[in-house]
């Protein structure tokens, strides 16, 4: 399948999705959000794909936010609907995928761009990356989950300051805050993402899917994460991966997981 604003590739079970609107600093318009949804859906449905890396094209931006030109004239209802549809179609969708998703933040990750990176399971960044939620400088608030996921990741006080000042932090500051896990040079960013993804891909994808679900349960209202963990733990005992993993350990060899 070919997209207008998104590139996909798969090599050795590791998929890369590249947001490709460099002239608009990869800003998320409606079409791009829809294409990203389809790309994630297709790659997540492919059992040969073990990890998905999300990045932006060009050297300047991961994503410079939602496309301001598309919503500048919106009414109250249209604004609410934009956030609701976007959250469901892309941000919540990515967060709840069973396939691990790593954001490789290669430049500006602002507004919807940082919100998209935060919806991924974890983030790494290039040393030129800048992150922030500048929405209040436009008279709006973060609407793709930013007010929820930013305090989860960096704490309430830091999130409040970043949101209220509409400021930007550097990749190093983001690492100190726990917003990104690693910082690399631009050239080393994708190789680092692939290296981490490679490590993940050698483990049981069944178990990883259960772990993602259990970790996410910690952040869902009205959901008892411990119960989700217990159920997911029990489910592992019915998988081929569990038999292979434990047998390989006892036979002192490396496990070769089927993902079943
Ligand atoms: N929505 C729509 N278009 C955007 C965009 C966005 N969020 N961010 C950048 N662009 C467009 C610019 O309008 C410009 O298009 P043009 O060449 O047709 O005029 C192009 O991308 C390049 O951006 P430009 O502003 O010229 O680059 P810069 O290096 O001077 O500044 C930023 C970079 C990221 C600081 C600046 O683009 C910016 O502030 N963007 C908006 C960030 C934002 O508020 N995001 C939250 C949205 S809710």
């Amino acid at each position: 399948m070919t997209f207008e604003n998104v590139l996909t590739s798969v090599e050795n079970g590791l998929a890369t999705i590249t947001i490709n609107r460099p002239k608009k600093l990869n800003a998320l318009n409606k079409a791009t959000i829809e294409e990203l949804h389809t790309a994630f859906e297709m790659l997540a449905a492919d059992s040969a794909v073990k990890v998905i890396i999300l990045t932006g094209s060009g050297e300047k931006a991961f994503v410079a936010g939602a496309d301001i030109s598309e919503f500048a004239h919106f009414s109250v209802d249209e604004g609410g609907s934009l956030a609701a549809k976007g959250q469901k179609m892309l941000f919540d969708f990515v967060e709840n995928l069973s396939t691990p998703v790593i954001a490789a933040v290669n430049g500006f990750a602002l507004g919807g761009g940082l919100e998209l990176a935060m919806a991924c399971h974890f983030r790494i960044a290039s040393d030129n990356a800048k992150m922030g939620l500048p929405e209040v400088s436009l008279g709006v608030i973060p609407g793709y989950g930013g007010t929820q996921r930013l305090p989860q990741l960096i704490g309430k006080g830091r999130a409040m300051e970043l949101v209220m000042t509409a400021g930007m932090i550097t990749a190093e500051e983001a690492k100190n805050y726990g917003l990104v896990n690693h910082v690399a040079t631009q050239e080393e960013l994708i190789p680092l993402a692939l290296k981490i993804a490679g490590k993940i891909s050698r483990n049981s994808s069944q178990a990883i899917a259960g772990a993602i679900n259990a970790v996410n349960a910690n952040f869902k209202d009205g959901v008892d994460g411990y119960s989700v963990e217990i159920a997911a733990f029990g489910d592992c005992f019915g998988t081929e991966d569990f038999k292979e993993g434990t047998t390989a350990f006892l036979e002192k060899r490396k496990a070769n997981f089927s993902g079943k």
Side-chain angles (χ1 to χ4, degrees), residues 1 15 22 36 52 79 192 198 209 252:
M1 184 152 185
L36 281 169
I52 301 170
L192 176 62
K252 299 191 187 303

Side-chain angles (χ1 to χ4, degrees), residues 58-62 104-109 125-131 168-172 183-187 189:
E59 295 189 344
K60 206 165 162 188
F62 173 72
V105 178
N106 58 305
F108 287 114
S126 57
D127 50 15
N128 65 312
K130 293 250 173 71
M131 283 157 259
M168 286 187 210
I169 55 172
T170 62
E172 270 310 320
V183 177
T185 61
Q186 279 233 308
E187 303 73 54
L189 181 69

Side-chain angles (χ1 to χ4, degrees), residues 23-25 27 60 64-68 71 108 110-111 134-135 138:
K23 285 189 184 148
K24 295 289 174 188
L25 302 186
K60 206 165 162 188
D67 192 318
I68 298 166
F71 64 73
F108 287 114
L110 302 175
E135 283 88 343
L138 297 165

Side-chain angles (χ1 to χ4, degrees), residues 52-64:
I52 301 170
I53 295 163
L54 176 66
T55 194
S57 72
E59 295 189 344
K60 206 165 162 188
F62 173 72
V63 171

